[in-house]
Amino acid sequence: MEYLRQLNLLSIIVRIVLAILIGGALGFEREQKNRPAGFRTYILVCLGAALVMMTNQYVYHTYKIGDPVRMGAQVISGIGFLGAGTIIVTGRNKITGITTAASLWAAACSGLAIGIGFYEGAVTCGVIIVFIMSGLQKFDVWTRKHSKYIDLYIDYNCGKGSLGEFLEYARDNHFEVSNIQMSQNEFYHNEKGRHRILSVTMTVVSHTKRTHSEVIDILSKAKGIQYIEEL
């Protein structure tokens, strides 16, 4: 094992193959979910991070200069531009891509561990990361469905009522509304004239035990609600 921790032809091949395997395992899960960063991206991130650490190790031992982890530190900070590119804020203020960004960062960290010869940590954490990304997804969905907090997007027709009337309706039905954000105004015309549509995102808490579907069903009956969905 100590021989593989040194920089030689065999250890280089082992590190490259291991980086491809771990990066590919992480990317495969994202690829199945059709995420922006997929199979090839994760392999490249993990392999590139491993190469950086091997290069740093080579420079340190060959020329006896520098810090053996300095280049790795730059990878940790530099991977942020890839992560930021996967995070998207939709028109309804819904944020997507955070898990992909975090797993890209984790793939880079795994690559650094592989590149420096810390095989035990890289393999162990790689397996755990894959389990978290795939095995815990159902638990994450279950937790969200059973949370008493629900984030909603609503298109409200101001021609049929006011937002204040909706909030009063919510209170009468034992709901607490918070984090209200009005994102945009749109107008539509019909035979009764021109009406303003207010797009609103909010967090709703039910003081009585209800499923998310029941919450949406009750609020959809409020006067002025044109469209409602859970974020």
Side-chain angles (χ1 to χ4, degrees), residues 150 152 154 163 166-171 174-181 200-207 219:
I150 175 172
L152 297 176
I154 295 174
L163 188 59
F166 169 78
L167 296 177
E168 185 177 350
Y169 172 84
R171 285 193 296 268
H174 309 290
F175 292 110
E176 180 181 339
V177 181
S178 61
N179 299 328
I180 300 175
Q181 296 183 15
V200 185
T201 58
M202 62 179 65
T203 301
V204 176
V205 180
S206 176
H207 293 300
L219 293 179

Side-chain angles (χ1 to χ4, degrees), residues 8 39-40 56 62 68 80 87 99 105-106 134 141 148 158 197 219-220:
N8 50 64
F39 188 69
R40 292 180 300 171
N56 204 155
T62 302
I87 299 175
T99 301
W105 183 82
S134 56
V141 172
K148 66 178 182 178
C158 297
I197 302 298
L219 293 179
S220 65

Side-chain angles (χ1 to χ4, degrees), residues 5 15 50 53-54 56-57 68-69 111-119:
R5 297 192 196 281
R15 295 177 194 188
M53 287 304 288
M54 287 189 288
N56 204 155
Q57 186 180 5
V69 295
L112 293 176
I114 294 168
I116 202 63
F118 184 31
Y119 306 108

Side-chain angles (χ1 to χ4, degrees), residues 20-37:
I20 293 173
L21 290 176
I22 292 181
L26 297 176
F28 181 73
E29 190 274 342
R30 295 283 91 185
E31 188 80 34
Q32 286 184 313
K33 293 180 173 62
N34 198 29
R35 294 298 187 263

Side-chain angles (χ1 to χ4, degrees), residues 101-169:
S103 56
L104 274 173
W105 183 82
C109 292
S110 298
L112 293 176
I114 294 168
I116 202 63
F118 184 31
Y119 306 108
E120 301 91 339
V123 173
T124 303
C125 287
V127 171
I128 293 173
I129 293 168
V130 171
F131 171 74
I132 291 172
M133 292 170 62
S134 56
L136 292 185
Q137 184 184 12
K138 291 183 179 179
F139 177 74
D140 186 42
V141 172
W142 183 90
T143 303
R144 289 177 179 273
K145 283 186 176 180
H146 290 81
S147 172
K148 66 178 182 178
Y149 295 92
I150 175 172
D151 293 322
L152 297 176
Y153 170 85
I154 295 174
D155 281 338
Y156 192 82
N157 188 339
C158 297
K160 295 182 178 180
S162 66
L163 188 59
E165 291 175 329
F166 169 78
L167 296 177
E168 185 177 350
Y169 172 84

